[in-house]
């Protein structure tokens, strides 16, 4: 029980620290609404499931053991984050222009957004790719899991259990974030707040991508 509680505590510290996943989730929610946020979270959780399965199978160990492979994933992830950040900033500029045009026309209210199936698919894909291309996540699955050994379990059963616990903790965290965003939905729909979140998420994603690219 002590090992499990220690793993949960370490996992929570890692999960709640803001990173690319949270920045992407906030940006998509601000730009396209609550359903887009849920779709983004679904993509992120799918990525965690894939990486957890890869860690149990030992595939993440092969990745981190290969300097070239690790560098390739790191750079691909960095450029993808920068790409997402630039898209968020473009959306930020468009929102400002649209808001200015509405004020000029004497219409302060923003028309209700329509979230299409394509938007949902894009959000799922963004969450999935962003998570899979973050080598820090793969390294986490490799470095943290071996430090915790649950008594009476084989190596495979131990890693499978820890992977499942971590996945559930991530799910609960994103459910909490989405619930809070739903509670402040009216605030998020204010043009100034919506634009601010889009701008902050764009800058954050570009900053995280740049830092990842420059890290050796």
């Amino acid at each position: 029980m002590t090992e499990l509680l220690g793993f949960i505590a370490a996992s929570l510290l890692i999960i709640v620290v803001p990173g690319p996943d949270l920045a992407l989730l906030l940006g998509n929610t601000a730009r396209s609404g609550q359903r887009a946020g849920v779709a983004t979270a679904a993509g992120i959780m799918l990525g965690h499931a894939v990486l957890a399965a890869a860690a149990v199978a030992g595939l993440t160990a092969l990745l981190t053991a290969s300097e070239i492979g690790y560098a390739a994933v790191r750079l691909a992830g960095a450029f993808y984050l920068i790409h997402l950040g630039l898209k968020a900033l473009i959306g930020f500029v468009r929102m400002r222009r649209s808001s200015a045009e509405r004020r000029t026309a004497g219409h302060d209210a923003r028309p209700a957004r329509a979230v299409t199936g394509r938007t949902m698919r894009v959000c799922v894909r963004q969450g999935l790719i962003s998570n899979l291309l973050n080598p820090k996540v793969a390294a986490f699955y490799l470095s943290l899991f071996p430090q915790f050994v649950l008594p009476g379990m084989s190596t495979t059963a131990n890693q499978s259990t820890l992977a499942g616990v971590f996945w559930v903790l991530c799910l609960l965290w994103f459910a909490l974030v989405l619930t809070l965003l739903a509670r402040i939905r009216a605030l998020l729909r204010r043009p100034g707040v919506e634009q601010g979140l889009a701008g902050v998420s764009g800058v954050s994603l570009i900053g995280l991508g740049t830092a990842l690219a420059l890290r050796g």
Side-chain angles (χ1 to χ4, degrees):
M1 181 61 70
T2 302
E3 286 289 318
L4 182 59
L5 292 177
F7 176 78
I8 291 174
S11 298
L12 288 175
L13 288 175
I14 293 171
I15 290 170
V16 301
V17 172
D21 290 345
L22 185 59
L24 180 62
L25 175 63
L26 292 176
N28 283 352
T29 302
R31 185 167 56 252
S32 303
Q34 187 74 12
R35 291 180 61 199
V38 172
T40 304
I44 293 170
M45 291 309 304
L46 178 58
H48 274 298
V50 172
L51 289 173
V56 173
L59 298 181
T60 50
L62 296 177
L63 171 63
T64 53
S66 172
E67 184 175 346
I68 296 178
Y70 185 86
V73 173
R74 175 174 59 82
L75 291 176
F79 288 127
Y80 188 69
L81 290 178
I82 293 173
H83 165 71
L84 293 177
L86 290 174
K87 287 187 65 175
L89 289 182
I90 292 173
F92 167 74
V93 172
R94 287 176 176 172
M95 278 188 275
R96 286 182 62 88
R97 288 178 178 174
S98 177
S99 179
E101 290 173 356
R102 288 196 303 272
R103 287 196 300 269
T104 301
H107 301 291
D108 294 330
R110 177 175 54 79
R113 62 167 67 87
V115 181
T116 64
R118 181 179 181 278
T119 300
M120 299 287 284
R121 290 191 296 272
V122 168
C123 289
V124 171
R125 184 173 68 247
Q126 287 179 346
L128 172 62
I129 296 176
S130 175
N131 190 266
L132 291 179
L133 290 183
N134 188 347
K136 290 178 62 179
V137 178
F140 159 76
Y141 277 105
L142 178 68
S143 62
L144 186 63
F145 285 9
Q147 298 181 33
F148 296 90
V149 179
L150 302 179
M153 288 190 176
S154 65
T155 301
T156 301
N158 180 78
Q159 293 189 345
S160 298
T161 300
L162 294 180
V165 170
F166 184 77
W167 192 90
V168 171
L169 291 175
C170 288
L171 179 64
L172 293 175
W173 167 245
F174 284 116
L176 175 61
V177 171
L178 290 169
T179 299
L180 292 176
L181 292 177
R183 293 290 181 89
I184 59 174
R185 183 180 305 170
L187 177 63
L188 292 176
R189 288 180 62 83
R190 293 181 182 178
V193 175
E194 184 181 42
Q195 294 167 19
L197 276 176
V200 169
S201 67
V203 172
S204 299
L205 287 168
I206 291 174
L208 290 167
T210 302
L212 185 60
L214 296 177
R215 183 180 296 118

